[in-house]
């Protein structure tokens, strides 16, 4: 059995590949249809270079079906038939699909493959979606938004994702925003409970400021540490907190790290110094020790932790 997998570039295709390999099937290639005019996957609109990177990561060749735009159903079926014939000549015996429950879609695929020499496989068919989703998450699958329709969703909801090595595992943190405020947090891996991202998102949607959410996460102290964004994080929760604050800084066009913000503030005192001289005002972090005990008094910045001082 030599299997060609229909590849939409989404999570169901990825999990179908996992299941086929787990069950011992010889998956030898990925097949996807491409909009020739846009250079994107017909189904999800993902750029061709991204799909090729996915195929390379899976260690499989990518076979494409180029489709014109606009494309009639007759044109599609002609190009599909040509691709199927080529797959048979290349020795493929089966083509697999990540479909779950749409009977009409399955029947269409089966009808088009009848008599071609390729037999259809549906490794995920009929699986209850809640159980399947839990299995995907438990198996380590992480879905990231790569494409969205800006007529329906703000472009910024695509968010940013960080991969942070933590205790010999990868922690993945995605933070979404709408150019005005931080909206949601998704965090998986690194020994972190998925509930952390859910609770952080609930707090943000409930009106808590990013600083408040980050402060709560920063209280968690672990037994391993990682240097991330010019800061020592001693727990996955602290790394999530840093991603939240990093996103907030980007929204207001500040440097990514608190350390860089502090250096910028000290180098441009007219832009950031308190208006009332003599008042003691705590500011962000010390550019030397990265502590948050810098105070302004009598025209000078002083760190109570390490003694750093700069007068303006």
């Amino acid at each position: 059995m030599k299997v060609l997998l229909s590849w939409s570039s989404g999570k169901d295709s990825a999990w179908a590949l996992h299941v086929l390999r787990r069950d011992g099937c010889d998956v030898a290639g990925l097949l996807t249809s491409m909009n020739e005019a846009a250079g994107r996957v017909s189904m999800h609109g993902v750029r061709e270079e991204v799909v090729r990177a996915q195929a390379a990561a899976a260690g499989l060749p990518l076979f494409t079906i180029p489709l014109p735009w606009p494309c009639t159903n007759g044109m599609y079926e002609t190009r599909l038939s040509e691709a199927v014939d080529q797959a048979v000549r290349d020795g493929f015996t089966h083509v697999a699909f990540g479909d779950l429950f749409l009977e009409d879609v399955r029947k269409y695929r089966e009808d088009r493959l009848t008599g071609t020499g390729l037999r259809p496989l549906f490794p995920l068919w009929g699986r209850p979606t809640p159980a399947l989703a839990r299995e995907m998450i438990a198996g380590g699958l992480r879905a990231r938004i790569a494409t969205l329709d800006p007529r329906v969703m703000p472009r910024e909801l695509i968010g940013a994702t960080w991969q942070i090595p933590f205790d010999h595992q990868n922690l993945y943190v995605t933070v979404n925003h709408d150019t005005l405020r931080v909206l949601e947090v998704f965090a998986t891996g690194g020994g972190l409970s998925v509930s952390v991202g859910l609770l952080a998102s609930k707090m943000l949607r409930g009106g808590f400021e990013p600083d408040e959410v980050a402060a709560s996460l920063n209280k968690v102290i672990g037994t391993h540490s990682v240097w991330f964004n010019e800061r020592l994080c001693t727990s996955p929760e602290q790394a999530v907190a840093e991603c939240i604050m990093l996103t907030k800084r980007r929204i207001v066009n500040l440097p990514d790290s608190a350390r860089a913000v502090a250096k910028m503030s000290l180098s441009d005192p007219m832009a950031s110094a308190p208006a009332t001289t003599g008042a003691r005002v705590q500011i962000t972090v010390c550019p030397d020790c990265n502590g948050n005990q810098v105070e302004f008094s009598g025209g000078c910045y002083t760190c109570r932790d390490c003694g750093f001082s700069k007068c303006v």
Side-chain angles (χ1 to χ4, degrees):
M1 178 187 294
K2 185 178 180 182
V3 180
L4 182 64
L5 175 61
S6 179
W7 188 259
S8 70
S9 74
K11 66 183 186 309
D12 293 341
S13 295
W15 196 249
L17 175 61
H18 167 74
V19 170
L20 289 166
R21 284 175 161 172
R22 181 191 65 192
D23 294 345
C25 294
D26 177 22
V27 181
L30 306 177
L31 177 68
T32 190
S33 57
M34 302 292 300
N35 181 320
E36 287 182 305
R40 293 174 177 266
V41 176
S42 302
M43 178 63 69
H44 292 317
V46 176
R47 296 191 308 275
E48 182 174 355
E49 57 265 32
V50 174
V51 181
R52 293 197 176 279
Q54 290 178 333
L60 294 171
L62 178 69
F63 302 96
T64 61
I65 304 176
L67 298 176
W69 181 260
C71 181
T72 66
N73 192 58
M75 292 176 182
Y76 169 75
E77 291 185 348
T78 297
R79 299 282 179 98
L80 175 62
S81 178
E82 292 170 354
V84 168
D85 291 343
Q86 183 61 53
V88 172
R89 288 193 294 270
D90 291 340
F92 287 96
T93 60
H94 294 74
V95 57
F97 303 92
D99 299 314
L100 300 175
F101 48 75
L102 296 177
E103 293 281 358
D104 54 339
V105 173
R106 175 169 179 158
K107 186 176 187 307
Y108 177 82
R109 300 195 195 283
E110 291 173 334
D111 290 346
R112 297 305 306 168
L113 291 172
T114 299
T116 64
L118 280 183
R119 297 181 61 185
L121 295 173
F122 300 91
L124 306 182
W125 186 259
R127 299 285 302 280
T129 50
L132 180 61
R134 287 192 292 270
E135 181 183 335
M136 288 179 173
I137 294 171
L141 189 67
R142 287 168 292 274
R144 305 181 189 178
I145 301 174
T147 303
L148 54 78
D149 186 344
R151 296 169 299 180
V152 179
M153 299 174 64
R155 292 180 184 274
E156 291 74 24
L157 285 183
I158 197 170
T161 299
W162 292 271
Q163 176 181 312
I164 307 168
F166 206 97
D167 190 22
H168 307 293
Q169 304 177 62
N170 283 325
L171 171 66
Y172 295 89
V173 183
T174 298
V175 182
N176 294 338
H177 67 90
D178 65 355
T179 73
L180 297 175
R181 62 194 186 281
V182 180
L183 295 175
E184 290 182 311
V185 180
F186 303 92
T188 59
L192 184 74
S193 169
V194 294
S195 64
V196 171
L198 295 174
L199 290 172
S201 298
K202 186 174 182 179
M203 290 177 70
L204 291 165
R205 290 193 295 267
F208 284 83
E209 292 296 323
D211 307 66
E212 297 175 290
V213 178
S216 296
L217 294 170
N218 279 326
K219 293 177 182 178
V220 181
I221 307 298
T223 57
H224 297 85
S225 60
V226 63
W227 184 256
F228 172 66
N229 197 35
E230 296 193 287
R231 176 199 163 177
L232 184 67
C233 300
T234 61
S235 69
E237 289 82 0
Q238 290 185 6
V240 174
E242 186 59 28
C243 291
I244 292 173
M245 293 306 298
L246 193 163
T247 303
K248 180 187 175 181
R249 295 181 199 113
R250 287 182 175 179
I251 290 175
V252 295
N253 296 315
L254 287 174
D256 281 356
S257 71
R259 179 182 174 87
V261 171
K263 286 184 175 180
M264 181 182 72
S265 299
L266 294 177
S267 65
D268 187 10
M270 295 302 294
S272 58
T276 305
T277 58
R280 303 192 84 196
V281 180
Q282 182 172 310
I283 61 173
T284 52
V285 296
C286 174
D288 272 8
C289 72
N290 210 34
N292 63 351
Q293 298 298 318
V294 176
E295 292 184 344
F296 184 81
S297 179
C300 294
Y301 292 95
T302 305
C303 178
R304 294 188 300 177
D305 284 344
C306 72
F308 167 84
S309 181
K310 181 179 178 70
C311 296
V312 297

